[in-house]
Every structure is written in structure tokens, then in C-alpha cells.
Amino acid sequence: MHVSRLSRSWTAYVCFLSLVCLFIAPAVTVKHNDFKTCSQSGFCKRNRAYADHALELSSWEAPYKILPDSTSFKDGQLQAIILKTINEQGDTVRLPVTVSFLQSGVARVTVDEEKRQKGDIELRHNSQVRKERCNEAEKWAIVGGTALDKGAEVAFSDKTQTTVKYGPDAKFEAVVHFAPFSVDFRRDGNSHVKLNDHGLLNMEHWRPKIDKPEPEKKEGEADGGEAEGEKKEEEPKGEDESTWWEEKFGGNTDSKPRGPESIGLDISFVGYDHVFGIPEHTGPLSLKETRGGEGNYEEPYRLYNADVFEYILDSPMTLYGAIPFMQAHKKDSSVGVFWLNGAETWVDITKDKGSKNPLAIGTSSKTTTNTHWISESGLLDVFVFLGPTPQDLTKSYGELTGTTAMPQEFAIGYHQCRWNYVSDDDVKDVDRKMDKFKIPYDVIWLDIEYTDGKKYFTWDGNMFKDPIGMGKQLDASGRKLVTIIDPHIKNENDYSVVSQLKSKDLAVHNKDNDIYEGWCWPGSSHWVDCFNPEAIKWWKSLFQYSAFQGTMENTWVWNDMNEPSVFNGPEVTMPKDNIHHGGWEHRDIHNINGMTFHNATYEALLSRKKGELRRPFVLTRSFFSGSQRIGAMWTGDNQASWDHLGASIPMILAQGISGFPFAGADVGGFFGNPDADLQVRWYQAGAFYPFFRGHAHIDSRRREPYLIGEPYTGMVTSALRLRYSLLPSWYTAFYQAHKEGSPIVRPMFYTNPEDEGGLAVDDQMFVGNTGLLVKPIVEQDKESTDIYIPDSEVYYDYFTYEIISTSKGKKSTVSAPLDKIPLLMQGGHIFPRRDRPRRSTALMKWDDYTLVVTLPKAGGKAEGELYTDDGDSFDFEKGQYIHRKFVLDGNKLSSKDFEARDTKSIKAGEWLKNMKKVTVDKIIVVGAPASWAGKEEVTVTGTGADGKTSWTAQVDYTAAAKGKAAFAVVRRVGAAIGEDWNISFD
Ligand SMILES: *[C@@H]1O[C@H](CO)[C@@H](O)[C@H](O)[C@H]1NC(C)=O
Ligand SMILES: *[C@@H]1O[C@H](CO)[C@@H](O)[C@H](O)[C@H]1NC(C)=O
């Protein structure tokens, strides 16, 4: 939930002071004035001006040159010194550069500043912060994949450049030009990614502040920022000093103890028309240009985690989380960059239509997408991925930053949330009603009002008299409770949590290095500093069952407001000159902050009880690269409107391709009151979000699914049941994400990179590799939709088995009255379901499976998989899981271990033992061949009940009719799910 009435009124007050604001503000939702535009953010403005200057001059020569004699190459690493010329006299500063070639085929370019490495600078205002450029991002984001490629070698070198061959079969090349410094990354002889091709590299080096005499002013008046109207005698090219030393915004002055220190770099994707990624933003999956022009944005995409009240759609404005990973795609080729920086970052995007560069031979597209990356501080640290497939990108990125944690199985069921369930009786009542109406759900959530006066780790004693009784009722049907815990700790006497926080000195400090105090939900608050290992240790102690009384094994946690949201701070967050553990300024690590808090909570849940090792479930609002290792995210405070429903699809797709696929939007919309149609459509869409939660604002009407009324409640229930029956397929997709870094719901370019027409399609998605293709309806009164078909395969309607008659690159109109989700099955797949309707995932644990087989177009094979484990512990890491590969080839359907393990030799723990009784009960073959007509029995060989090894099962064949595919249903198959089996349709 969000900044709210409190900050709204605070903003209103500020607005009131400004008459202009009064006239402008009512037209828009988001309080634009709360957030900076590029021109209000000094370093962004300076770097854009630098770019304008450089791009205007045909004679522009970037002032960065590698000193040829400084280069060395060893063990997959090129090192050199870049000299930056800083004035007309030719003075230079030294910037050490390292180009690392990693075994994964990823290259990494890191540039630092020698003077700051050595601590040879002076800080202003007697500041106690670190002198180095911040290198903390790596510590939090990177978990592997950095082993150097010892096979990388210098293929050519002279006084002007060095070329290194690297990557798989040495197909990649990095051409490092010395003067000016630039790097051209090539694959198979063609340029794909170029760094500093346009000469926008800008590393603002440290310099002392020289106070110039200001004759027009009397002493004292200059205090607090360079006067805007002040004319500088000589302004270095593209440099505007007015924001170097102090900046004011929203009543706050940033003291900038280190002065200007931003980094900027242009990165060109040669021959690519589409770039994707860098969440979190609203707007299309294929990112827009940002330098104006029709249909384009005027502002760069911004990454500065913030609590954006009533965010707007189709905007490059920042939101709650930041993943600075961008991919470029064209037909049959994908490349990417990961800009590892935890500070505020802006990215400009422009596209060069038509080939400006006559030397760009061999590129299929004439468009080049130019990007300009601008961060406020830190190292220049960029990873370059040369693909060539989308899968290569997500896999390599996953190796670096980690992959999705295997979730608790319940976490992919349905979550029922509201700000707020007012009492334990209220929770118990909702729980009973969901059962009464036979609506499945797994988790009920408590927002901030459950606490005693917004003091986390406490309960409102009047309203929640018996939290354990509540927890036990939920547990009776295997359900869970999630309670919110935020990073702001109420500053109040006699609250032991804040006393400990203070006495142990574990809170974030202000610029004077005293404890920082700001406003959030509880009023005056302090913020736990989870960059501090001691703070993590302390945080763990708070979640012990003995400490957080009223919680039990089925209590899990939601971390909100961790951007961090500070109601009275600049841009609703902390001042940038606040100080964190290790002496880093908040400026340096702002975008990582939310992840460190999420991480601390994860670690705390992992250690609630000695000997109890269960996968934590923690939802976060704020995130950074690496947050996927910890839990799920949601897209924050959306609105109950059709356009917000529509916007959720590209947002979730963007999360998926950016390594953090466990994502969802608040179903129904947070603010406002959705009508029945919107609720139905939103549940239908939500059934295809990896994270599926209904949530509502405190001022909205109650809207638990049973309250909508018939026929809508029935429609919502059907959508929920569909989700539950497909849980085995979802869980399998999560496992793939965990293993490979792959998205859980996948856009067309990911599954069909060869299909140019589908590259930018972002309103439909595949579920894992099941071949299930969904296009949720996101418009009112719409009774049909056109689904884009990205290949030449046959597609069947999920519900009717109707054959979709269209061809590759065309759209197929699918009817979709309010009770129907447009859902297709691509031919050539086998996906698992559990069809028995149950109240929760826990109750489905030992249910038998259904396999759905969709025959491909022309006599090919159908293939699929199932992954399952106990859904709770880490035993799967020790082989306690079932992973099957199913293949239908001609008349034979088989199941064998996906990884060709000798499953008989695995010592079965309790879960695996129990699974011996779980079978494949039913098999549905859609598009069954005509030759099966009249067949009554099939032969099964494998392991059945009572140890039999060969038996028959009944099959019913339904012939094709009226555009519908033939299908066969095998019943009572009875083959153990974890064992090998064959079924013969001969
Ligand atoms: C949380 O942070 C600690 C300290 O950096 C780290 O050791 C741990 O691996 C992190 N946990 C996760 C799940 O990333
Ligand atoms: C299934 O068929 C394959 C190949 O025809 C055979 O090798 C395997 O042993 C069979 N498995 C069972 C359980 O019958």
C-alpha cells in the first residue's frame, strides 16, 4: 500500500503555497511535482546537455583516451588507464579500466577513478562518508558467473586498439579503441553493441570546490545553492556547475559532500529496432524513444525506487523497483547490457532509422537503437551480453544475479488481501465464506492496521485478541497468513524494537551521522539499515516465534514501503546525503536499499526456529537486480480501471525477461471500486500472473470474490479453479525459472525470436513451455479478441478444442464472452494438471494428475514436463523431487526422468515415499489421430498399484466435428507419477 492521506495532505499543503500548482495539479493523478524531471535532477540535466553538445558538433572528440603503454592482458582480463582531459591546458585525470571476459561469454567493462580509489580527495562539510566511488552494488547483486574466460585472447593489438576474441568458439570479439576510448562488441564479425560510439562517456571526476568571489552578493546570501540566474564567466563545454555542489528539491537541500560524480555512457545496439527491460515502468514492453517527437516520451526512463502515489500509465517515470538490465532484439538475434549501479539512473533511448553507418554491413535491420545511461555516482560497471538467443541472455543474467527462488507451493496459489482485515474474527469469517462459496485460496493477508499503533511485531490487542487461534483455523485447511512488516520503526518511548534499534545503532544515519528521523505510517520513525550485517542479525531475532508472538509456522511476511518511502523526504524517500553502514551515502545505494531489507526478512524467516528449514515467502514492493533470489514482487498501488488492468500485462512480461518473474499486479486494482465486469476480467488475467493476489485500498468497498454476486462470483471461481488445476504446470515453470533464469510468463519474442512481426507484441503470453497462450481481455464490453499467432503450429482453444484457423504472423479472432478467458493450446505439448477442485494447494498435495497432450501439426512429437517436490523445504536440493519428461511419438506415450537420473537409486524421504501412491489418472489427447477411432483400450507398462507392470486402461475417442479437433481421453491410467511408464495406442 501506499503513501496516502498523510502525504496527500502534506503535498496539498505544499501545493497550496504555490498558486500555479493549484491550477495544474487537479488534472493529473500522480503528484508530478513530487518527482524530478531530468532537468530538475542536476546530473541528468548535465549529462543530457553534454550529449546535446557532443551530438551537435560534427568535430566532437570525446576527451577519454587509453594510454597505449598502460594496457596489459592476462587471464581473460584487459587492464589499462584511461586519461580524461579536463581542460584546455591538457590536464588529465586517470581512470583505470578493466575489461573482463567471463566464461559465460559475457564481457564486463569497469571504469574507476584513481584518485578516489586512493582516497586522495577531500570531502566537504567534514562529511564522514567514503571517498571511493561506490562499488557496493556488486556485493548485493552478483552471486556468480564472474569466473574469467582464460581462453580469451588478444587477436590483434597496436598503438590504437586491442582486439580480444572470446566467448563460445571464440565467436565474440571486443575491439577496444584507444582514442577516444570505445568498445565495439562483435559477433560473427558484425558489430552488435558499441560503448561510447557517440562519445557521450562522461565520468565527472572529483574536484575541489573553488569558491569564486561573488561580487553581486552580500555575505550570507549565497547560502544554500548556486543562484540560478548567476552567469558564469566561462562555462566549460556542456558543463553546468550550478548543480555541482548543492541541489534543492521539495524543501530539501542535498549537501553533496563529494561534489559532482556522475557517470554517463552511450550504448548503441547496432541494427536493432527493439529494446526491452529496465523495469519498473508502465508503458509498452518495447521501450519508447525518450527525446520527444510524435508518440515518444520527452523524459528518459528513470530508475530511482520511489513510492509513486497514483502512478500514471504509459510513462518513463520511475516506480518502486529498478533492474538496470536492457535487451535488444531483432529477428533471430538478441543482445543485452546490465548496468550495475545502485544510484539514481536515467536512460535515454533514440532510434536511428535508416543506416547512418554505411559500414554496418550484414545487419538485417537498418535501425540502430542508441541508449544513453546516466547514473549519479558509483563505478561505471557494465556487462555486455551477445546472445544470440533471448534464452542466452536470461541464462547469463541469471548466472550473475541469481535466479528465482523456488517458491513455497502455496505462494503460487491465490492470495486474498485487503487493507485491512480488521480483526481476527474478520479473517476467520472471510476464511469460512471462501469455503462456503467453494472458492479456492491459500493465503490471507494483513496490512498495517493489525499492529498496535503501526508498531511492527505487535498486534492490536482489541482487534486481534487471538492471532494464534486465527492461525490455527487457517492451518486446518493448509492456509497461511501474511503479515506486513515495513522498514520504518516507530519512534516512540516504551517500544522495545525502537529502543534496541537505537541502542545497538542499527538505523540509517543522517548527513551529520546521527540517527535519521523521518515520517511514515507511524509518524516519526527510524529506518533499519539492512546494509549492516549486525542489523540483519538483530532483525532475525525479532522474527523468532518467541519474540514475534502470535505468529506461527504458517505466518509469512510482506515487505512494503522499502524504497524506502519517507512521507516528508525528498521525492517521498530519504535524503541522498543520509549515511548507511560502511560509510556509503544513501545516494550511492538507494536502488539497492529495498533489496537489503527484503533480504534481511528472508534471512530472518529462514532462522525462525532451529532445525526448521523452510523456503521463506516474502513479498516486496521495492527491488533491484538479485531480488528474484529472495521472493515475489507486485506492481504496487494500481487503480481499479481497465487501463491499469491492461498495463499489468507488459509490466509483468518486462519483469519476466528481466530476471524477476515472480510478479503480479493487485487484482481488482488497489485504488477505487471495480465493477463486476472488471473484477471478472481481472481475476481471469490474474490467474495468469505468476503472483496472484487480490488487494484493495482501505477506502474501497469490500470485494472478496463471494461478495460480487452471481453470475460473477461463479466466473471468478472458474478463473481461480483454472489457476489451481494448472498449478503443476505453473510450478514446473517456476522450476525452469529457478534453474535457467527463464521468464514464467513469456512474450512472443522470447518463444519465437525468429518471428519479426511478433517482437513487440506485449498483450498476450505463454505460460512457461506448456504452449498455453493466453490473451486476457482488458477492455470493457469486449466479447472477442484477436490473438497473434507467432508460428506455423496448430493451436486449439483450451476449452472447446476448436482448431484455430490462421497462419503465422496473423491474428485469430477468439470469442470471449465474460465467462471465458481467451486461452489457446499450441500443438506439440504435454502439460500437467490436477483437476480435482480443492480449497487450497495443501489439500491437493496427494492428488492424481491429468496430462493434456496437444498433437502438433504434421505427425511430429508432443513433449512436456512435470516438476514437483514437497513445495516447502529445501530437500529438493538433495534430489527429493520428481521431474518427468513426457513424449508422445506416434502411438506411444512415455514418461521418463527428465534428467535421466537413476530414480531407483535415490533414497526416498517422506515426501517421495508418499508420492509413490500418486498417479497419472487421466490423459487427454487433443488432436488425436483418426486411426485411434474405435479404440477402447490402451496398454500401459510401468509401475501400477499392487506392483503390476502391465495393464490396460479405457480410452474414449471423440471424432473431429465442426472445426473442433478430435480428442481421446484415457481414464484410470493408474501409472505412478514418479516412475517410468509407456502407453501404447497401437
Ligand atoms: C542476504 O544478504 C547476506 C549478506 O550480504 C548474504 O550473505 C545472503 O546471501 C543474502 N541472502 C539472499 C537470499 O540473497
Ligand atoms: C518404455 O519403452 C522404452 C522404449 O520402447 C523402453 O526402453 C522402456 O523400458 C519402456 N519402459 C517401461 C516402463 O516399460
Side-chain angles (χ1 to χ4, degrees):
M1 129 273 328
H2 199 281
V3 172
S4 63
R5 294 161 295 177
L6 218 163
S7 94
R8 232 186 296 174
S9 55
W10 185 79
T11 313
Y13 174 68
V14 174
C15 279
F16 182 71
L17 295 180
S18 148
L19 273 178
V20 184
C21 178
L22 258 186
F23 290 111
I24 297 172
V28 291
T29 45
V30 69
K31 300 298 177 285
H32 275 285
N33 298 343
D34 282 356
F35 299 95
K36 290 179 185 176
T37 59
C38 178
S39 64
Q40 289 168 317
S41 175
F43 74 95
C44 186
K45 183 181 175 189
R46 298 196 299 272
N47 277 279
R48 256 195 170 185
Y50 190 87
D52 288 340
H53 179 76
L55 296 173
E56 267 161 31
L57 287 182
S58 53
S59 61
W60 172 252
E61 203 185 307
Y64 295 81
K65 296 189 171 77
I66 281 189
L67 204 90
D69 292 340
S70 71
T71 63
S72 65
F73 186 86
K74 191 167 171 254
D75 294 339
Q77 232 170 18
L78 175 81
Q79 286 181 311
I81 298 291
I82 296 173
L83 295 182
K84 173 186 179 187
T85 305
I86 59 170
N87 55 25
E88 316 245 292
Q89 294 80 53
D91 290 332
T92 58
V93 294
R94 291 163 65 89
L95 307 172
V97 57
T98 306
V99 187
S100 309
F101 300 93
L102 312 180
Q103 280 171 10
S104 59
V106 175
R108 177 182 191 179
V109 178
T110 312
V111 186
D112 204 341
E113 184 178 344
E114 196 172 85
K115 229 174 158 49
R116 291 191 52 185
Q117 280 180 327
K118 292 181 176 159
D120 188 15
I121 67 166
E122 279 154 38
L123 301 170
R124 301 163 63 233
H125 320 299
N126 299 315
S127 170
Q128 295 171 42
V129 300
R130 294 271 277 258
K131 292 182 171 174
E132 302 97 300
R133 279 185 172 268
C134 181
N135 55 15
E136 185 78 4
E138 167 160 15
K139 190 179 141 199
W140 292 94
I142 304 292
V143 291
T146 52
L148 293 169
D149 175 7
K150 304 273 164 62
E153 54 183 26
V154 174
F156 175 82
S157 189
D158 67 7
K159 290 280 171 210
T160 66
Q161 67 165 77
T162 292
T163 300
V164 177
K165 278 196 185 299
Y166 69 104
D169 309 323
K171 273 194 291 207
F172 300 163
E173 261 177 348
V175 185
V176 181
H177 295 281
F178 294 173
F181 167 70
S182 72
V183 192
D184 178 4
F185 290 95
R186 305 164 71 91
R187 188 208 312 136
D188 294 326
N190 296 316
S191 292
H192 287 265
V193 182
K194 289 182 169 183
L195 309 187
N196 203 32
D197 192 39
H198 296 278
L200 309 189
L201 172 61
N202 183 29
M203 255 181 117
E204 292 182 323
H205 58 282
W206 180 84
R207 65 207 93 194
K209 183 176 183 199
I210 295 159
D211 287 311
K212 292 173 196 151
E214 293 176 47
E216 278 109 298
K217 286 197 174 140
K218 292 197 193 96
E219 273 209 4
E221 265 185 11
D223 192 48
E226 309 294 302
E228 285 224 353
E230 191 186 343
K231 283 264 176 294
K232 300 260 161 16
E233 293 234 329
E234 45 166 338
E235 201 168 78
K237 288 180 231 106
E239 295 202 329
D240 164 13
E241 295 182 22
S242 67
T243 52
W244 277 8
W245 307 108
E246 263 97 26
E247 254 181 283
K248 279 179 191 283
F249 189 80
N252 180 275
T253 301
D254 178 0
S255 65
K256 294 197 174 183
R258 299 176 307 216
E261 53 176 331
S262 78
I263 55 175
L265 178 67
D266 62 276
I267 302 178
S268 311
F269 299 99
V270 183
Y272 290 82
D273 344 62
H274 293 288
V275 286
F276 301 86
I278 57 167
E280 183 181 22
H281 300 97
T282 59
L285 185 64
S286 175
L287 303 172
K288 290 190 179 183
E289 294 187 57
T290 61
R291 285 290 210 145
E294 208 187 319
N296 300 332
Y297 298 143
E298 305 278 341
E299 290 287 313
Y301 283 92
R302 188 181 190 205
L303 296 167
Y304 188 59
N305 297 350
D307 185 356
V308 182
F309 181 64
E310 293 186 343
Y311 62 75
I312 49 164
L313 302 181
D314 197 5
S315 165
M317 253 184 99
T318 197
L319 283 175
Y320 314 93
I323 301 180
F325 174 38
M326 180 186 271
Q327 310 172 21
H329 298 279
K330 62 182 181 187
K331 186 171 152 45
D332 286 325
S333 181
S334 301
V335 295
V337 295
F338 172 38
W339 178 266
L340 180 55
N341 191 298
E344 178 182 350
T345 297
W346 300 76
V347 186
D348 259 323
I349 298 173
T350 55
K351 297 184 184 185
D352 263 345
K353 309 258 157 65
S355 182
K356 241 190 178 174
N357 178 0
L359 297 179
I361 318 160
T363 56
S364 68
S365 158
K366 284 201 173 75
T367 304
T368 284
T369 299
N370 300 310
T371 62
H372 182 202
W373 296 69
I374 303 165
S375 287
E376 184 171 17
S377 68
L379 300 178
L380 189 159
D381 199 359
V382 56
F383 294 75
V384 177
F385 306 73
L386 290 182
T389 68
Q391 288 70 25
D392 292 327
L393 302 186
T394 45
K395 187 162 198 288
S396 312
Y397 178 76
E399 277 166 21
L400 290 169
T401 64
T403 57
T404 303
M406 247 346 254
Q408 281 272 347
E409 194 163 23
F410 75 76
I412 64 172
Y414 172 64
H415 302 253
Q416 181 63 46
C417 186
R418 160 165 195 92
W419 178 22
N420 217 92
Y421 289 117
V422 298
S423 65
D424 46 4
D425 282 340
D426 190 8
V427 168
K428 287 180 349 194
D429 183 55
V430 172
D431 182 62
R432 277 190 294 267
K433 292 225 172 81
M434 294 292 270
D435 282 350
K436 186 174 162 214
F437 286 83
K438 298 192 164 55
I439 302 169
Y441 90 100
D442 266 83
V443 192
I444 189 159
W445 291 53
L446 294 179
D447 210 317
I448 50 175
E449 313 298 333
Y450 78 92
T451 57
D452 171 18
K454 317 286 189 293
K455 289 182 295 218
Y456 302 111
F457 308 101
T458 70
W459 296 84
D460 178 330
N462 290 323
M463 305 310 282
F464 290 86
K465 288 205 167 67
D466 182 17
I468 293 289
M470 170 176 68
K472 283 186 174 157
Q473 179 183 316
L474 297 173
D475 191 48
S477 46
R479 293 192 178 125
K480 325 290 171 191
L481 181 76
V482 165
T483 59
I484 200 168
I485 300 280
D486 288 351
H488 46 259
I489 305 296
K490 187 171 190 170
N491 181 23
E492 184 183 87
N493 290 334
D494 302 326
Y495 175 32
S496 67
V497 176
V498 83
S499 318
Q500 291 173 30
L501 179 75
K502 284 183 186 168
S503 67
K504 291 172 189 280
D505 191 19
L506 301 175
V508 179
H509 289 195
N510 64 20
K511 68 176 191 314
D512 302 318
N513 224 355
D514 300 323
I515 190 166
Y516 170 69
E517 189 255 328
W519 277 3
C520 204
W521 294 120
S524 171
S525 303
H526 300 303
W527 274 260
V528 55
D529 183 8
C530 294
F531 286 90
N532 185 347
E534 289 304 314
I536 300 178
K537 234 189 245 171
W538 172 68
W539 198 244
K540 285 181 181 177
S541 73
L542 301 175
F543 285 84
Q544 302 296 302
Y545 295 124
S546 57
F548 190 1
Q549 292 194 5
T551 62
M552 47 187 272
E553 284 79 356
N554 66 345
T555 314
W556 301 100
V557 178
W558 168 18
N559 286 159
D560 195 359
M561 313 298 277
N562 50 336
E563 294 74 22
S565 175
V566 180
F567 294 164
N568 62 337
E571 303 196 87
V572 206
T573 191
M574 270 183 192
K576 285 178 168 173
D577 47 12
N578 269 7
I579 304 174
H580 286 264
H581 172 76
W584 300 117
E585 271 195 290
H586 186 70
R587 174 188 337 277
D588 299 320
I589 45 74
H590 172 86
N591 283 347
I592 306 171
N593 184 81
M595 176 160 81
T596 65
F597 180 64
H598 192 202
N599 167 288
T601 306
Y602 175 100
E603 296 289 332
L605 291 178
L606 207 51
S607 62
R608 276 196 286 191
K609 195 172 137 194
K610 264 217 166 66
E612 181 188 274
L613 256 192
R614 299 167 63 207
R615 301 172 215 165
F617 172 76
V618 194
L619 179 76
T620 185
R621 189 171 70 182
S622 186
F623 54 87
F624 187 66
S625 298
S627 292
Q628 66 271 16
R629 306 188 299 264
I630 306 170
M633 64 74 70
W634 93 108
T635 61
D637 300 337
N638 59 1
Q639 298 188 33
S641 66
W642 290 92
D643 53 355
H644 270 263
L645 167 58
S648 69
I649 309 292
M651 288 179 85
I652 286 165
L653 288 172
Q655 286 293 130
I657 61 163
S658 306
F660 196 177
F662 195 1
D666 279 344
V667 170
F670 179 65
F671 294 111
N673 296 302
D675 64 18
D677 284 20
L678 179 55
Q679 287 216 64
V680 169
R681 289 307 194 190
W682 214 318
Y683 272 93
Q684 292 175 347
F688 290 87
Y689 294 163
F691 175 63
F692 184 15
R693 183 183 76 156
H695 187 33
H697 188 268
I698 197 164
D699 296 333
S700 67
R701 285 196 292 276
R702 290 291 286 247
R703 53 162 112 123
E704 288 67 46
Y706 49 82
L707 291 176
I708 317 172
E710 292 303 346
Y712 310 104
T713 294
M715 293 176 189
V716 167
T717 308
S718 300
L720 285 159
R721 292 235 175 105
L722 176 65
R723 168 64 167 230
Y724 274 79
S725 76
L726 287 170
L727 283 175
S729 288
W730 282 97
Y731 200 64
T732 302
F734 268 84
Y735 185 69
Q736 290 157 359
H738 174 66
K739 282 307 217 196
E740 304 287 329
S742 50
I744 291 163
V745 287
R746 302 175 180 175
M748 303 303 104
F749 82 72
Y750 194 84
T751 53
N752 296 86
E754 74 292 343
D755 174 37
E756 202 153 16
L759 290 181
V761 172
D762 62 2
D763 53 3
Q764 58 180 56
M765 51 205 187
F766 281 104
V767 178
N769 64 359
T770 58
L772 287 168
L773 175 59
V774 67
K775 182 172 178 187
I777 301 280
V778 298
E779 285 160 80
Q780 194 161 17
D781 299 328
K782 211 164 166 181
E783 300 250 302
S784 72
T785 190
D786 296 334
I787 302 188
Y788 180 84
I789 302 297
D791 57 17
S792 309
E793 196 39 84
V794 60
Y795 285 77
Y796 309 94
D797 185 285
Y798 182 84
F799 304 97
T800 64
Y801 305 161
E802 235 167 292
I803 296 171
I804 302 306
S805 53
T806 191
S807 55
K808 178 182 158 114
K810 296 261 162 51
K811 287 180 171 175
S812 171
T813 303
V814 176
S815 109
L818 191 58
D819 62 354
K820 190 173 174 225
I821 306 174
L823 178 60
L824 304 183
M825 302 184 285
Q826 186 184 46
H829 296 274
I830 303 176
F831 59 87
R833 297 197 310 218
R834 271 174 160 165
D835 286 345
R836 185 161 173 184
R838 298 275 199 180
R839 289 180 289 159
S840 70
T841 56
L843 299 176
M844 295 168 72
K845 205 171 170 131
W846 312 118
D847 281 355
D848 292 333
Y849 290 90
T850 294
L851 297 181
V852 181
V853 183
T854 59
L855 250 66
K857 211 170 190 176
K861 290 192 229 175
E863 292 188 352
E865 65 185 287
L866 165 73
Y867 172 86
T868 182
D869 60 25
D870 68 17
D872 177 63
S873 76
F874 289 93
D875 291 351
F876 71 98
E877 290 175 349
K878 295 173 234 143
Q880 299 291 307
Y881 61 85
I882 288 170
H883 194 187
R884 308 305 301 176
K885 182 179 176 85
F886 309 114
V887 179
L888 176 73
D889 191 0
N891 284 344
K892 193 181 132 194
L893 175 63
S894 66
S895 167
K896 51 187 188 203
D897 191 77
F898 193 91
E899 299 153 37
R901 296 177 301 170
D902 176 11
T903 43
K904 297 252 185 292
S905 72
I906 296 166
K907 193 167 177 293
E910 207 191 320
W911 177 82
L912 263 183
K913 274 190 197 142
N914 281 319
M915 284 302 284
K916 288 192 192 304
K917 285 173 265 157
V918 176
T919 65
V920 175
D921 180 53
K922 189 165 146 188
I923 295 167
I924 303 168
V925 183
V926 180
S931 61
W932 293 6
K935 200 172 286 299
E936 289 177 356
E937 274 182 0
V938 294
T939 312
V940 187
T941 53
T943 311
D946 335 319
K948 60 186 175 186
T949 55
S950 179
W951 64 97
T952 59
Q954 185 203 329
V955 60
D956 288 322
Y957 180 88
T958 305
K962 283 197 242 149
K964 289 184 185 173
F967 64 96
V969 181
V970 189
R971 290 175 213 279
R972 306 252 165 113
V973 178
I977 189 67
E979 310 281 345
D980 291 358
W981 47 258
N982 296 317
I983 294 178
S984 169
F985 290 88
D986 279 334

